[in-house]
């Protein structure tokens, strides 16, 4: 069994930031990632731009310079890759952690690589920085299992000329609608809210509202999708039940933490469904197990959370240092 002082599960921006902070107190943590470094960002829409300015996404005292005011997905991938390399973070990619069990003065961490071969570690501290991206909020309606339904949007080209329904009213939904309209898709945005979300990027909303007023994008407030068929969807709202033509559905309804994995480690869940942790130290109700990044965001699970989640490593390092003292 491989012995480590600390293991970080997840090599997203906040997991990498935590690794750097642990290095600064003399630890050399092993970061285990079930896919590639900053996987969630690699899955963002191809031409996405962040809401945040680059300085608010920096980690490890490495400047994040960009060609424009808002960094792109490609620039972010390059930045975090370089940050990991410069700080010589030990990243073990394509390995999935299956369980964390208390043993003596630490934890036995078990997983497997992409070939199904078992891996086993012992660590005194475990930092869970797994994010939400693998756990979309499902609709729980008939037809959601169809191939035409996706909880992710990458790029608009595959949808040229298609009837596309977007479920949700967040930034991701608005950005997707604009990209799709530009390539000639027939877009309907279905949002259960009564008006536009206050979180929409202020420089994006006017252009989106103009497209709606021109009839180029259909916006259906206070509506929900109740069923998905091969060639149509059923929606329900203030004007009753409607059947509208549809080729593809993008259910951009957000994400949630892997509750089963967390509860199996002994981490309790609050009434709202979010894990229990101390906001000052980031330690969970299980001493020695910490949270970092979007898994500790409680309500908002998007790229903006990197701004504050990158500092979780500072809190964790300070707490571990106090224990060692």
């Amino acid at each position: 069994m491989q012995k480590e002082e600390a293991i970080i599960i997840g090599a997203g921006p906040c997991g990498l930031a935590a690794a750097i902070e642990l290095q600064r107190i003399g630890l050399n943590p092993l970061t285990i990632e079930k896919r590639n470094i900053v996987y969630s960002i690699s899955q963002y829409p191809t031409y996405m731009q962040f809401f945040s300015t680059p300085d608010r996404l920096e980690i490890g005292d490495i400047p994040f310079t960009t060609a424009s005011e808002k960094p792109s997905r490609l620039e972010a991938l390059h930045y975090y890759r370089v940050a990991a390399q410069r700080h010589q973070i030990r990243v073990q990619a394509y390995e999935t952690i299956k369980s964390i069990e208390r043993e003596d003065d630490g934890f036995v961490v078990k997983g497997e690589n992409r070939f199904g071969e078992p891996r086993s570690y012992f660590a005194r501290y475990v930092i869970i920085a797994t994010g939400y991206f693998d756990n979309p909020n499902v609709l729980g309606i008939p037809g959601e299992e169809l191939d035409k339904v996706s909880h992710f949007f990458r790029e608009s080209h595959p949808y040229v000329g298609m009837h596309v329904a977007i479920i949700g009213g967040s930034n991701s939904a608005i950005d997707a609608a604009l990209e799709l309209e530009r390539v000639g898709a027939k877009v309907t945005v279905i949002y259960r809210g009564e008006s536009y979300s206050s979180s929409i990027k202020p420089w994006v909303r006017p252009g989106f509202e103009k497209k709606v007023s021109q009839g180029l994008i259909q916006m259906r407030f206070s509506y929900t999708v109740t069923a998905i068929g091969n060639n149509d969807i059923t929606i329900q709202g203030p004007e009753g039940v409607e059947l509208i033509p549809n080729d593809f559905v993008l259910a951009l309804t957000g994400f949630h933490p892997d509750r089963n994995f967390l509860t199996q480690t002994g981490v309790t869940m609050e009434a709202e469904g979010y894990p229990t942790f101390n906001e000052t130290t980031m330690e969970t109700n299980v001493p020695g197990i910490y949270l970092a990044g979007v898994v500790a965001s409680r309500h908002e699970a998007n790229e903006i959370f990197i701004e504050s989640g990158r500092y979780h490593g500072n809190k964790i390092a300070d707490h571990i240092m106090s224990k060692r003292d």
Side-chain angles (χ1 to χ4, degrees):
M1 183 182 299
Q2 184 173 328
K3 293 186 177 181
E4 300 287 344
E5 187 74 7
I7 285 178
I8 299 171
I9 305 173
C14 301
L16 297 178
I20 293 169
E21 293 306 318
L22 292 186
Q23 286 178 347
R24 287 176 175 168
I25 63 169
L27 302 184
N28 187 21
L30 176 65
T31 301
I32 301 175
E33 167 58 53
K34 69 178 177 180
R35 292 190 175 86
N36 52 271
I37 290 178
V38 292
Y39 170 74
S40 60
I41 294 178
S42 71
Q43 296 303 297
Y44 285 168
T46 304
Y47 305 107
M48 191 208 81
Q49 281 192 308
F50 281 76
F51 186 97
S52 303
T53 53
D55 58 297
R56 295 187 172 186
L57 303 176
E58 292 176 351
I59 63 173
D61 297 325
I62 296 177
F64 188 173
T65 57
T66 61
S68 58
E69 182 183 2
K70 309 289 183 180
S72 68
R73 166 187 168 274
L74 184 60
E75 289 172 323
L77 290 176
H78 173 75
Y79 172 79
Y80 290 116
R81 181 172 65 247
V82 169
Q85 292 169 343
R86 287 190 181 177
H87 283 277
Q88 298 182 340
I89 297 173
R90 298 164 60 215
V91 177
Q92 199 144 294
Y94 300 102
E95 185 171 311
T96 302
I97 298 302
K98 297 291 188 179
S99 67
I100 304 170
E101 299 177 1
R102 168 72 74 180
E103 183 175 296
D104 299 328
D105 191 26
F107 303 91
V108 173
V109 181
K110 294 182 179 179
E112 61 183 28
N113 64 17
R114 56 180 172 158
F115 307 112
E117 298 168 340
R119 293 288 185 266
S120 184
Y121 309 89
F122 179 85
R124 187 172 180 185
Y125 307 105
V126 176
I127 295 90
I128 300 174
T130 49
Y132 281 7
F133 209 69
D134 286 334
N135 301 283
N137 296 324
V138 298
L139 302 169
I141 61 174
E144 189 173 7
E145 74 284 353
L146 294 174
D147 289 341
K148 64 184 280 185
V149 181
S150 174
H151 291 275
F152 306 92
F153 172 70
R154 294 299 307 278
E155 59 179 334
S156 56
H157 180 75
Y159 304 100
V160 173
M162 299 288 101
H163 286 91
V164 182
I166 298 174
I167 305 173
S170 65
N171 277 308
S172 58
I174 301 305
D175 288 344
L178 288 170
E179 280 198 41
L180 289 166
E181 188 276 330
R182 281 194 286 268
V183 301
K186 303 170 182 66
V187 183
T188 301
V189 179
I190 301 154
Y191 182 44
R192 63 184 178 182
E194 297 179 356
S195 59
Y196 291 108
S197 169
S198 59
S199 67
I200 297 175
K201 302 168 189 172
W203 62 90
V204 170
R205 179 168 169 172
F208 181 81
E209 290 182 329
K210 184 177 181 180
K211 296 282 188 183
V212 172
S213 66
Q214 293 173 334
L216 299 175
I217 295 174
Q218 302 299 313
M219 186 74 199
R220 309 300 290 270
F221 290 111
S222 301
Y223 271 85
T224 58
V225 178
T226 58
I228 301 171
N230 290 332
N231 302 301
D232 51 41
I233 60 172
T234 304
I235 63 174
Q236 186 170 3
E239 298 179 14
V241 177
E242 297 181 44
L243 199 67
I244 61 176
N246 176 261
D247 298 304
F248 293 97
V249 174
L250 296 175
L252 306 182
T253 51
F255 305 89
H256 63 268
D258 186 345
R259 300 185 181 97
N260 289 334
F261 176 74
L262 290 167
T263 54
Q264 286 171 6
T265 68
V267 177
T268 57
M269 290 288 164
E270 300 174 7
E272 298 86 353
Y274 300 103
T276 302
F277 66 96
N278 184 316
E279 294 188 6
T280 302
T281 65
M282 305 309 296
E283 190 174 39
T284 67
N285 59 286
V286 181
I289 294 181
Y290 298 83
L291 302 181
V294 73
V295 72
S297 66
R298 298 191 189 278
H299 302 293
E300 291 296 330
N302 54 45
E303 70 275 6
I304 300 173
F305 198 73
I306 298 173
E307 292 185 9
S308 53
R310 60 186 173 146
Y311 295 119
H312 291 168
N314 301 66
K315 297 179 179 182
I316 295 168
D318 289 344
H319 191 244
I320 290 176
M321 196 66 179
S322 70
K323 286 184 176 183
R324 297 172 78 189
D325 292 340

